[in-house]
Amino acid sequence: MCDNNEKIIIESNKLNLYYGDNHALKDISFRIPSNRITALIGPSGCGKSTFLKTLNRMNDLVPGVKIEGQVMYNGEDIYSKAVDVTRLRRQIGMVFQKANPFPMSIYDNIAYGPRTHGVRNRAKLDEIVERSLRDAAIWEEVKDRLNKSALGLSGGQQQRICIARALAVEPDVLLMDESTSALDPISTSKIEELAMDLKSRYTVIMVTHNMQQALRISDYTAFFLLGELVEYGDTQTMFSKPTDKRTEDYITGRFG
């Protein structure tokens, strides 16, 4: 569990999610601290990506979805009717498994979000683009080709462009849904280093299938199985002394 002194940014309370008759998340309750990396692990289809997408209401876009319980973000229930979903997704950004830059220039990819939110001043946009690319550790690689298509970059570079695009609207939280699973080891390493650097300014919540990645870079780990949260706590403790036999079996490779 979280250290009592840590600021809690997101808390789920008895969260249940149904896709039609499929009960995909079952009574999920835990607290995610600010400015830490929290890893969500578990076998395919266990609910970890579904849970991640409840945090910025991406599941609202799925037909037939029903959600019960609460997800609190800075003390406010994000499923309240009063919540502005567009604003919520600005505060809780997301980077997907497959890099998905827009078919436009690198500059326009990063400026897209700020422009959507009303930023028109070119000097201000220039500043946001440079800052976001620097924060995503890719400025030096692309600063001389900002007007070239983002689709001409390598997979690892495209993923960092997508991270920069998410950071450009100044979120509090960055959700990463298996953001390195399609990348080579060198690109994966760069994004892991980037995530560790970003946590001084952002809260990072990441779904990963890679046990070693969770162990290397996360502060806390949540283990999901068949839609349930089996165990949650400090990563080093969970990997060295799991309290549930199912967690031990998964992280030692006995199943999954």
Side-chain angles (χ1 to χ4, degrees):
M1 287 298 150
C2 300
D3 187 310
N4 289 334
N5 298 321
E6 292 192 286
K7 176 179 183 285
I8 301 302
I9 193 166
I10 289 175
E11 180 173 3
S12 68
N13 295 313
K14 295 194 174 299
L15 179 69
N16 286 273
L17 182 142
Y18 302 82
Y19 294 123
D21 294 331
N22 175 23
H23 193 178
L25 292 176
K26 302 168 185 172
D27 273 341
I28 307 295
S29 298
F30 71 114
R31 305 163 82 212
I32 296 174
S34 181
N35 297 104
R36 296 287 182 267
I37 298 176
T38 299
L40 312 179
I41 64 170
S44 295
C46 67
K48 55 193 186 298
S49 287
T50 297
F51 175 77
L52 194 75
K53 289 172 186 166
T54 63
L55 303 183
N56 68 348
R57 292 188 50 172
M58 289 292 285
N59 286 312
D60 289 17
L61 307 172
V62 179
V65 78
K66 184 175 80 165
I67 294 170
E68 299 168 347
Q70 284 183 319
V71 176
M72 308 299 288
Y73 163 62
N74 283 331
E76 181 182 18
D77 184 3
I78 69 169
Y79 285 92
S80 155
K81 287 186 168 56
V83 167
D84 178 339
V85 178
T86 303
R87 183 165 171 265
L88 174 74
R89 291 186 186 140
R90 178 180 173 176
Q91 294 166 318
I92 303 179
M94 190 159 193
V95 181
F96 296 91
Q97 179 174 3
K98 190 172 185 311
N100 59 344
F102 301 140
M104 55 179 71
S105 72
I106 293 167
Y107 185 100
D108 287 338
N109 263 273
I110 312 307
Y112 184 88
R115 282 177 177 145
T116 303
H117 294 290
V119 179
R120 293 285 178 268
N121 180 285
R122 178 69 189 207
K124 178 67 174 165
L125 285 170
D126 288 352
E127 181 189 316
I128 291 169
V129 168
E130 179 172 345
R131 187 199 68 232
S132 304
L133 291 168
R134 284 189 184 280
D135 281 355
I138 194 171
W139 170 253
E140 292 299 331
E141 293 167 54
V142 300
K143 64 183 180 184
D144 298 324
R145 51 195 291 197
L146 295 178
N147 295 319
K148 300 267 178 64
S149 171
L151 301 179
L153 299 171
S154 71
Q157 288 173 321
Q158 287 188 15
Q159 193 63 292
R160 280 181 286 150
I161 291 294
C162 293
I163 292 171
R165 189 175 66 198
L167 299 180
V169 294
E170 299 182 3
D172 285 341
V173 180
L174 188 63
L175 308 178
M176 303 178 75
D177 191 7
E178 293 191 60
S179 302
T180 62
S181 65
L183 302 180
D184 62 87
I186 291 172
S187 297
T188 295
S189 176
K190 282 184 176 174
I191 288 178
E192 288 181 3
E193 287 170 19
L194 172 57
M196 288 190 285
D197 181 50
L198 290 175
K199 76 175 181 182
S200 64
R201 286 158 291 156
Y202 307 93
T203 300
V204 179
I205 306 169
M206 60 186 296
V207 167
T208 180
H209 268 114
N210 184 328
M211 296 298 104
Q212 292 308 310
Q213 182 174 72
L215 186 55
R216 275 194 302 269
I217 72 170
S218 71
D219 301 288
Y220 293 94
T221 296
F223 171 51
F224 284 75
L225 185 64
L226 301 174
E228 295 178 16
L229 176 64
V230 172
E231 188 166 347
Y232 171 62
D234 170 81
T235 297
Q236 299 298 324
T237 304
M238 184 186 290
F239 275 78
S240 58
K241 288 185 282 196
T243 58
D244 191 290
K245 180 74 165 58
R246 291 168 296 174
T247 312
E248 182 182 352
D249 286 350
Y250 183 70
I251 62 180
T252 56
R254 292 198 188 99
F255 78 89

